[in-house]
Amino acid sequence: MKLTACDIYICEINLVQPYVLSFDTVTYIESIVIRVFLDDKSVGFAEVVPLPGYSEETSASIVRDLKNVLPDLIGNDIQDIHKQILIKLKNSPFVRSLLFTAIEVATKKITF
């Protein structure tokens, strides 16, 4: 199976109640959602919420890394994509997880 396309969505969600961390209080989250399309017409979704203190990744860095790597992934077999993701996104664990999860949802099996 090949990856044929990927959409990126940024959703800002206000929290009903503030999320209090030891170093900050979060009143809203930015959720990054992707939708991947495979050549067999399968579709998969995944979501990640970068929160301060959990990773150095931010919403902006996640979107940037996705936009940088997607041109190299589109059109490739998902098994080859797995290797590319591990190499090209070595310092972006949230982005790796986002892509791996969306592809797993699309294939309905854990492939990585």
Side-chain angles (χ1 to χ4, degrees):
M1 279 182 271
K2 293 184 180 187
L3 178 66
T4 59
C6 180
D7 296 331
I8 304 168
Y9 304 94
I10 304 169
C11 309
E12 188 174 297
I13 302 166
N14 291 321
L15 300 177
V16 174
Q17 189 172 348
Y19 180 43
V20 180
L21 302 167
S22 61
F23 50 85
D24 198 7
T25 298
V26 179
T27 58
Y28 70 94
I29 58 172
E30 278 190 349
S31 177
I32 311 299
V33 178
I34 64 169
R35 178 173 57 171
V36 298
F37 300 88
L38 304 182
D39 64 347
D40 70 348
K41 307 298 182 210
S42 298
V43 178
F45 289 87
E47 177 257 359
V48 67
V49 177
L51 287 171
Y54 291 90
S55 169
E56 292 182 13
E57 291 171 278
T58 64
S59 296
S61 74
I62 289 169
V63 171
R64 180 199 66 226
D65 289 350
L66 280 169
K67 287 182 176 181
N68 285 340
V69 77
L70 282 171
D72 296 332
L73 303 181
I74 302 296
N76 290 318
D77 186 85
I78 59 172
Q79 292 305 320
D80 295 331
I81 287 172
H82 174 257
K83 295 171 195 156
Q84 291 179 44
I85 290 170
L86 290 174
I87 293 167
K88 294 178 182 201
L89 296 167
K90 184 170 58 172
N91 297 317
S92 303
F94 278 30
V95 181
R96 285 194 319 262
S97 175
L98 192 59
L99 288 165
F100 288 157
T101 302
I103 292 169
E104 289 174 1
V105 169
T107 61
K108 296 179 179 50
K109 61 182 177 181
I110 298 175
T111 56
F112 303 118

